[in-house]
Amino acid sequence: MTAKSLEPVRWRGGRLSVIDQTLLPVRLSYVRLGSVEQVCHAIKSMKVRGAPLIGVVGAFGLVLSLKHIRTWDMDEARKKLRKYADMLIGTRPTGVNLRWAVERVYNASTSVDAPSSLHQRLEEEAEKIMREELESARKIGEHGAPLLEDGDTVLTHCNAGALATVGYGTALAVVRTAIEQGKKISVIATETRPLLQGARLTAFELAHDKIPVRIICDSAAAQVLSRGIVDKVVVGADRILGTGHVTNKIGTLPIALSAKHYAVPFYAAAPVSTLDLRTGASSVVIEERDQREILYFNGKRIGPRAVEAMNPAFDITPPEVVTGIVTDRGVASSPFMESLRSLTSKNS
Ligand code: MRU
């Protein structure tokens, strides 16, 4: 199986399964998620991760929650559905796609007047979101590919590829489309501590697509940029604000600042479902993950016993260092508020 045919999420006959990303690149195997609780656990424990993919899996999670809702009373059914929607949304607070997708499925319940029709309506909506996200990835690729030139080396951080989406990717969609158009592109992937999404997932996807990729440790990014061997930085995003602030995996900010210093263009690529045009940067909740992700490596403690760790999962890159935002509707540039608003008011 190649990364091109990777299907990070499957919904077949009402059964949800996902690739367990914690096992990659050693083992490519699917895990079945049979209940909304199992979906929440899979998202929290990073079996599924990547903003758009979490959104789609969360949407199906809400469909699965109907198994617990056994009532003929529509108000009661919606009340219970709300509780499960909030439970799903609470699993990862920073990315915006999860809330967006779960709310969309929840809101679909308003067009139904009997609990017996809920399953069909909610499933329809979740499947629609999944189809749209795949289509968006293709469009991000189309809009972003012209930014890359034949022979470019692209530096990326974390995993914004097929495995973070329903397939194809966001940042990696730009790379894939440019290659499909005949350009020769190579990638430098940061390992992305502490969970190594770059080394484990991005390198896995690209190697299987036969796209040249080299891994660097996170702290090598500025040095590599200073050598003039990177032509563009392209990353994904978990939340993009109207101001152009880009929330993405921890470690994106120092890469963006270094890229600005060494005059390397920095792009974020994301579907419009990642945009949050209402929130200000100071109100974005940065997920703080378990200290053990930092204090242990491969099951072995690497810090002294008495020492604690800080583990913010995301950082926020300010618009001054962002060259452009590649979306499925086009590429936004500074001033971002105007540019993003005009893209989102366009039909897709
Ligand atoms: O913590 P993760 O692995 O879910 O973080 C993922 C990222 O930061 C990605 O860059 C982002 O979700 C974009 S995915 C297309």
Side-chain angles (χ1 to χ4, degrees), residues 46 49-52 92 158-160 164 170 197 237-238 248-249 314:
M46 312 278 282
R49 31 69 51 201
R92 296 205 69 192
C158 195
N159 173 260
T170 55
Q197 291 93 326
D238 294 80
N248 192 45
K249 178 52 56 192
F314 300 96

Side-chain angles (χ1 to χ4, degrees), residues 105-259:
V105 175
Y106 174 77
N107 288 334
S109 70
T110 55
S111 60
V112 166
D113 20 71
S116 56
S117 314
L118 273 174
H119 191 278
Q120 191 190 343
R121 179 66 195 97
L122 266 51
E123 180 183 37
E124 243 170 48
E125 194 62 26
E127 285 179 327
K128 191 160 176 251
I129 292 172
M130 180 154 83
R131 282 194 305 275
E132 284 173 11
E133 288 293 21
L134 191 56
E135 180 63 14
S136 295
R138 288 277 172 189
K139 287 190 177 148
I140 289 169
E142 281 164 27
H143 290 297
L147 301 169
L148 303 187
E149 284 162 48
D150 189 22
D152 271 359
T153 296
V154 172
L155 186 142
T156 192
H157 185 56
C158 195
N159 173 260
L163 288 161
T165 58
V166 180
Y168 211 61
T170 55
L172 297 188
V174 174
V175 169
R176 287 198 165 96
T177 309
I179 291 172
E180 281 165 17
Q181 290 173 351
K183 295 174 193 167
K184 233 176 124 200
I185 308 289
S186 68
V187 176
I188 295 177
T190 55
E191 58 177 353
T192 319
R193 277 278 292 152
L195 297 180
L196 305 176
Q197 291 93 326
R200 294 188 303 108
L201 309 177
T202 297
F204 168 78
E205 273 195 49
L206 294 176
H208 276 75
D209 272 3
K210 309 242 177 317
I211 296 173
V213 56
R214 285 172 288 175
I215 300 169
I216 58 169
C217 64
D218 299 330
S219 44
Q223 206 278 336
V224 167
L225 284 159
S226 78
R227 277 158 58 187
I229 58 170
V230 175
D231 300 287
K232 272 112 203 174
V233 177
V234 188
V235 298
D238 294 80
R239 186 189 291 237
I240 296 177
L241 307 183
T243 46
H245 286 83
V246 174
T247 308
N248 192 45
K249 178 52 56 192
I250 191 78
T252 303
L253 172 62
I255 295 172
L257 296 174
S258 305

Side-chain angles (χ1 to χ4, degrees), residues 15-18 31-35 38-39 42 47-48 57 64:
R15 286 169 161 245
L16 179 67
S17 46
V18 295
V31 57
R32 166 126 191 258
L33 305 176
S35 67
Q38 285 177 0
V39 170
K47 286 184 198 301
V48 269
V57 172
L64 289 175

